[in-house]
Amino acid sequence: MEVILLERVAKLGQMGDVVRVKEGFARNYLLPKGKALRATQANKTKFESIKVDLQARNLASKTEADKIGVKLDGKSFVVLRQASGTGQLYGSVSPRDLATILVDNGFAVDRNQIALNVAIKTIGMHKVPVLLHPELEVTIAINVARSADEAERLARGEDVTVRREPGAEDEAQAAATLAAAAEAVFEPKADETQQQGDSGGEAKA
């Protein structure tokens, strides 16, 4: 299906471009979101009549997005969640959660602008793109931790899920345990061999 783009769409083109896309993508996303029109002759004429207005609105929204982007780009936000010792969250952090956090911090961002394809499911520092405008993308850092103290450690670059490596004492203890287990397994067989030897000797006597 051919459509006329009403705004810049990543990997497709700029406003006014006529591009060919899959019908499902056009029906489910581009057309209902007002990002494109079917490329009919009537719509081509319509686009030319509204082109100036679209460009003016695009410029205004881009200017507003630039103001937000200057303050938001590179900013870090802490999200506290319960998680296992290995860092797996008991739940997840979704685009809706992140949009709420941004709004609470004074940034007018909708969850549809959070370019997070898969929800965050582990503690740690996560880079998340935010599409403030079709022509402007910024990146924020999401610090997911189990406590404020842990968040500070993550911000310093520490790996809070690292496990203590076994030391010499641990290895010695493990070796002793294995030796004791082996002795317990083989000792009865030795006794049985001795008993068979004794009984054989008695029979000969």
Side-chain angles (χ1 to χ4, degrees):
M1 176 188 292
E2 286 193 337
V3 298
I4 309 168
L5 298 181
L6 299 181
E7 62 180 46
R8 178 184 177 278
V9 178
K11 299 180 181 179
L12 276 186
Q14 304 293 328
M15 179 191 298
D17 288 350
V18 177
V19 297
R20 183 176 293 277
V21 298
K22 291 183 178 180
E23 189 165 339
F25 183 56
R27 289 179 180 276
N28 299 325
Y29 180 69
L30 295 177
L31 300 180
K33 293 287 186 180
K35 296 179 179 293
L37 293 173
R38 291 176 182 274
T40 62
Q41 189 57 50
N43 281 338
K44 289 179 180 179
T45 302
K46 177 182 178 181
F47 173 76
E48 288 302 322
S49 68
I50 64 174
K51 182 177 179 179
V52 174
D53 184 52
L54 287 175
Q55 290 175 333
R57 283 191 292 174
N58 180 68
L59 180 59
S61 61
K62 175 67 163 51
T63 301
E64 186 62 29
D66 284 335
K67 293 178 181 178
I68 298 174
V70 169
K71 299 178 181 178
L72 186 60
D73 193 29
K75 195 171 181 62
S76 180
F77 299 89
V78 174
V79 181
L80 300 183
R81 289 287 190 274
Q82 292 184 335
S84 67
T86 59
Q88 290 294 318
L89 299 184
Y90 299 136
S92 64
V93 180
S94 68
R96 185 187 296 275
D97 296 325
L98 298 182
T100 299
I101 291 170
L102 292 180
V103 170
D104 289 345
N105 280 272
F107 296 99
V109 174
D110 184 83
R111 68 185 180 89
N112 293 323
Q113 294 176 289
I114 307 295
L116 187 65
N117 296 324
V118 180
I120 298 172
K121 297 182 179 180
T122 59
I123 62 173
M125 299 294 295
H126 302 269
K127 297 293 186 182
V128 178
V130 181
L131 305 178
L132 295 177
H133 183 272
E135 299 174 23
L136 178 63
E137 176 183 308
V138 299
T139 301
I140 59 175
I142 302 300
N143 184 342
V144 184
R146 287 166 287 205
S147 66
D149 177 65
E150 187 172 75
E152 291 180 3
R153 292 170 58 195
L154 285 169
R156 291 196 297 267
E158 294 185 31
D159 185 348
V160 298
T161 62
V162 171
R163 293 289 177 272
R164 182 175 63 89
E165 294 295 330
E169 294 182 2
D170 297 320
E171 293 176 358
Q173 180 63 39
T177 301
L178 287 173
E183 186 177 347
V185 170
F186 291 110
E187 205 167 14
K189 292 184 179 180
D191 292 342
E192 290 173 6
T193 302
Q194 182 63 41
Q195 289 174 2
Q196 291 174 359
D198 294 342
S199 61
E202 290 174 359
K204 291 179 181 179

